Amino acid sequence: MEPYMNTKTRIVALAASLALATTLAACGDTAPESESASTTQETAENSAVAAHNDADTEFAQMMIIHHEGAVEMADLAATNAGNQEVKDLAADISSAQGPEIDTMTSWLDAWGESASPDGGMEGMDHGDMQMEGMDQEAVMTELSALTGTEFDRRFLELMIDHHEGAVGMAQEELDAGENADALALAQTIIDAQTTEIATMQGMLDSL
């Protein structure tokens, strides 16, 4: 019986070894496949994020500058405005456009694009960046000298013009852009700022 038992023991041990080897081999094969799938998915996601054209880049670069101007004007309203509704509207504008600046800045970084136009502002079409023919510096100089109702009226007039410029820029993005997120933000800007234009016009008429 002893030789039989030894043989049986050896067979069982051999079978166990084969089973362990098969299991280890399977685990070894699974890890690279999992890593490969993860890498492929990450590459696809990065490609999707990076999908953009020149119109998307210019939209983000120029809208950041445009939004920064609106926030600067809105922050001045906190101290110079006399009407509480004007102050509240200005606060809403600042709280909405600040995060959008951050979002567009993150897109440009993900796309490998500069946060500002090549060569700065020179050579760019500034039509949508001006208010009644004035640049941001001139607008802030004028508004800074005003307070109370005089400030309220002039702020609303200039911000309406500023919003109309943003709507025009956003429409250009819808017409020529490619990136889905940029197109969605452009539509959001059109919807939100068109509504705010109507609100400001009503406020202006009541002053």
Side-chain angles (χ1 to χ4, degrees):
M1 292 294 293
E2 186 175 347
Y4 171 77
M5 290 298 293
N6 288 340
T7 301
K8 183 176 181 181
T9 300
R10 286 196 296 271
I11 292 173
V12 170
L14 179 60
S17 297
L18 289 172
L20 178 60
T22 300
T23 300
L24 291 174
C27 291
D29 291 342
T30 300
E33 289 178 1
S34 177
E35 291 173 4
S36 177
S38 176
T39 300
T40 300
Q41 180 179 358
E42 183 178 350
T43 299
E45 289 175 352
N46 289 340
S47 296
V49 169
H52 70 289
N53 60 15
D54 290 344
D56 298 318
T57 299
E58 183 174 333
F59 167 71
Q61 291 172 335
M62 299 301 287
M63 192 61 79
I64 286 172
I65 297 170
H66 201 265
H67 272 19
E68 287 173 343
V71 170
E72 186 179 23
M73 293 168 65
D75 288 347
L76 183 61
T79 56
N80 288 31
N83 186 290
Q84 188 59 47
E85 289 186 350
V86 172
K87 290 185 177 184
D88 292 342
L89 173 69
D92 289 343
I93 290 172
S94 183
S95 64
Q97 297 194 22
E100 289 178 353
I101 290 171
D102 293 338
T103 295
M104 290 183 286
T105 300
S106 70
W107 291 346
L108 291 169
D109 182 57
W111 297 343
E113 302 285 359
S114 171
S116 59
D118 291 340
M121 297 291 287
E122 295 180 6
M124 303 301 293
D125 180 4
H126 294 182
D128 292 326
M129 304 293 289
Q130 295 185 332
M131 291 151 280
E132 298 185 1
M134 294 186 292
D135 62 16
Q136 182 69 21
E137 184 178 357
V139 165
M140 291 303 296
T141 297
E142 179 180 349
L143 287 177
S144 296
L146 303 175
T147 58
T149 302
E150 287 186 338
F151 175 90
D152 298 338
R153 178 171 292 279
R154 195 63 182 135
F155 171 82
L156 291 171
E157 290 171 346
L158 292 170
M159 190 62 81
I160 287 172
D161 201 23
H162 195 271
H163 272 29
E164 288 173 345
V167 170
M169 294 166 65
Q171 186 59 56
E172 290 174 2
E173 167 63 11
L174 291 182
D175 294 339
E178 175 184 312
N179 184 269
D181 290 334
L183 292 170
L185 179 59
Q187 187 61 60
T188 296
I189 289 172
I190 290 173
D191 294 341
Q193 299 204 19
T194 298
T195 298
E196 288 177 349
I197 288 170
T199 298
M200 289 189 287
Q201 189 60 60
M203 294 168 68
L204 189 57
D205 292 342
S206 67
L207 289 177

